[in-house]
Amino acid sequence: MNKFMDFMENKFSPIASKVEKNRFISSIKNGMVSLIAVLIIGSFTLIISSIGNLFPDGTVVKEFFVQNADILQLPFNFTFGLLSLYAALTISYAHARRLEAPILQSMMGAAITTLVLDCQFVDGNFQVGYLDSRGLFIAIFSALISVEVLNLFVKKNLTIRIKGLPEMVAATFESIAPLLTILVGSVALSVAVSIGSGGKAIPEVLTTFLAPAMNSIDTPMAVFVISLLEMLFWFIGLNGYAILVGFVMPFMTQYLAENMAAFQSGDPISHVFAPNFWDYFMGFTGSGLTGALVLLALFSKSTELKAIGKASVVPMIFTISEPIVFGLPICFNPYLFIPFVLGTPFIATTQWFIFHYGIVRPPVANVGGTPIFLANYLSTMDWKAPILAVLVLALGVLMYYPFFKMYETSEMKKSNAAAAEENAILSELNLDF
């Protein structure tokens, strides 16, 4: 185990840290995290518009929601229906800040590129259907390439500079050349793809091309591998969620949008691996099901472990795992390696099957920041979800119990030895007050 931990610290940790700090991955991650506010707003409006489904047919409340469905669904359509455009803005903002490029002009370039590549003119009409989650990957590409082009033009002084103008006006003139390049390049790419694909929009072509990958990430094997990697990162002291979310979030966001649309229309829910599956089921009470360790620590014979458990209760309710991961600690703790790193993926994969076979409805909303149990219900709109959460927590306690007790015994021996050594020193001093 010591050799394994040395390998993880010396070989694996630097690679993981380098990946997390990659400018493209970091900007996508930060941009997608900023996008969560839009996801939550859209999710709650969907929940509100679905309240009518809780009432029997023929009731006044049910009829009100049926008759006003189009109006009640407008907030959802203006959030998830324009998700790609919002993503282009948030990711370009994050990337521009990272490169110290002009922020406003970068966001404008990203918006222009996204609109050109995701939209089409058909019979004189501007079609914006692919500005929803289906154009998300195009929006990510648009945001990154737009900022990179603008940054290159500014750094290489390939801009129009007029001395004596106010700063804001001067920045506008400086952005003309890069924005024109971005616009012309986007139009050329859009036209080329349309001609080569027989009139299809770029997102339609990309969706067809990525279909195998889009399906493969929502599988039990993908859930197991992603959970395993996340736990390995946490175990060596790195935020596994932060490292992986840049890769996984675009897929999860698209799955969530499809689930919401299916739920809204009454169709079967097709995906499991939506964001709140990771947050409130795969990582229930915190990455690695750390709430189970909080409960065990609360009843520990060790005074130190019990204190850590008390300090971690409130973070656990909001699925924050850092206090217990670094306070117990879990990272680099050989006693907890097996349940934390290997046990967690098995429980996560088991939950995937429970959702996949319809025993519990998969997530149809994003309710980030909501306390556990309430979040389990709201994210799925299924009363069985909180029951599943209780069972998962109980299973986590059983999984951790023997390993925690071994660790507790080790810590108590250390505490008793330290206390005995302190008493021996005091006895030798023979102090008499």
Side-chain angles (χ1 to χ4, degrees), residues 219-235 240-241 244 273 277-293 321 324-325 330-331 335-354 391-393 395-401 403:
T219 64
M221 180 58 69
V223 169
F224 184 89
V225 171
I226 291 170
S227 180
L228 178 66
L229 290 174
E230 183 191 8
M231 296 306 104
L232 280 172
F233 287 131
W234 276 113
F235 189 77
Y241 182 88
L244 296 172
F273 205 175
F277 170 74
W278 194 344
D279 299 332
Y280 292 112
F281 295 96
M282 192 167 91
F284 181 61
T285 67
S287 298
L289 306 176
T290 48
L293 283 172
S321 52
I324 199 76
V325 169
I330 295 175
C331 58
Y335 290 98
L336 301 176
F337 175 83
I338 291 176
F340 184 75
V341 176
L342 301 180
T344 301
F346 279 105
I347 295 179
T349 306
T350 301
Q351 292 184 84
W352 185 92
F353 282 108
I354 291 173
L391 294 176
V392 167
L393 185 58
L395 187 60
V397 171
L398 292 175
M399 176 183 71
Y400 277 114
Y401 181 78
F403 302 94

Side-chain angles (χ1 to χ4, degrees), residues 114-417:
T114 300
L115 291 172
V116 171
L117 299 182
D118 275 344
C119 301
Q120 281 185 308
F121 272 105
V122 179
D123 297 328
N125 296 317
F126 193 53
Q127 296 187 339
V128 297
Y130 283 104
L131 285 179
D132 59 10
S133 62
R134 293 174 295 175
L136 189 57
F137 286 92
I138 295 298
I140 294 172
F141 166 80
S142 300
L144 296 176
I145 196 66
S146 297
V147 177
E148 291 287 335
V149 169
L150 184 66
N151 184 61
L152 176 65
F153 272 69
V154 172
K155 294 295 191 296
K156 298 296 184 180
N157 293 323
L158 303 175
T159 59
I160 300 173
R161 294 181 178 273
I162 302 177
K163 295 182 179 181
L165 292 176
E167 183 178 350
M168 195 67 179
V169 178
T172 300
F173 276 96
E174 287 182 2
S175 67
I176 290 176
L179 288 180
L180 181 61
T181 302
I182 291 169
L183 175 60
V184 172
S186 301
V187 171
L189 178 60
S190 179
V191 171
V193 171
S194 180
I195 294 174
S197 62
K200 293 182 179 180
I202 293 180
E204 185 178 2
V205 175
L206 185 65
T207 300
T208 303
F209 178 75
L210 291 178
M214 295 297 293
N215 291 329
S216 65
I217 202 170
D218 188 22
T219 64
M221 180 58 69
V223 169
F224 184 89
V225 171
I226 291 170
S227 180
L228 178 66
L229 290 174
E230 183 191 8
M231 296 306 104
L232 280 172
F233 287 131
W234 276 113
F235 189 77
I236 60 176
L238 299 174
N239 189 323
Y241 182 88
I243 293 172
L244 296 172
V245 72
F247 297 99
V248 182
M249 183 61 83
F251 292 97
M252 292 195 301
T253 302
Q254 179 155 344
Y255 295 154
L256 176 63
E258 293 178 9
N259 285 1
M260 294 179 74
F263 180 69
Q264 191 178 43
S265 60
D267 296 329
I269 309 301
S270 55
H271 296 292
V272 175
F273 205 175
N276 280 173
F277 170 74
W278 194 344
D279 299 332
Y280 292 112
F281 295 96
M282 192 167 91
F284 181 61
T285 67
S287 298
L289 306 176
T290 48
L293 283 172
V294 173
L295 295 180
L296 290 171
L298 287 173
F299 297 96
S300 174
K301 298 176 182 178
S302 168
T303 304
E304 292 82 1
L305 295 180
K306 183 175 289 188
I308 293 169
K310 291 179 180 179
S312 303
V313 169
V314 174
M316 174 194 77
I317 294 173
F318 292 92
T319 67
I320 298 173
S321 52
E322 279 85 351
I324 199 76
V325 169
F326 299 111
L328 197 63
I330 295 175
C331 58
F332 290 106
N333 187 333
Y335 290 98
L336 301 176
F337 175 83
I338 291 176
F340 184 75
V341 176
L342 301 180
T344 301
F346 279 105
I347 295 179
T349 306
T350 301
Q351 292 184 84
W352 185 92
F353 282 108
I354 291 173
F355 285 111
H356 179 71
Y357 287 112
I359 300 172
V360 179
R361 180 187 291 128
V364 295
N366 191 315
V367 292
T370 306
I372 56 174
F373 299 120
L374 176 61
N376 296 107
Y377 172 72
L378 291 177
S379 63
T380 61
M381 296 298 288
D382 190 338
W383 60 269
K384 297 188 293 295
I387 297 176
L388 173 62
V390 172
L391 294 176
V392 167
L393 185 58
L395 187 60
V397 171
L398 292 175
M399 176 183 71
Y400 277 114
Y401 181 78
F403 302 94
F404 177 81
K405 297 305 288 185
M406 287 190 290
Y407 178 56
E408 179 187 58
T409 301
S410 173
E411 289 300 295
M412 290 183 67
K413 286 181 180 179
K414 292 178 184 177
S415 297
N416 292 336

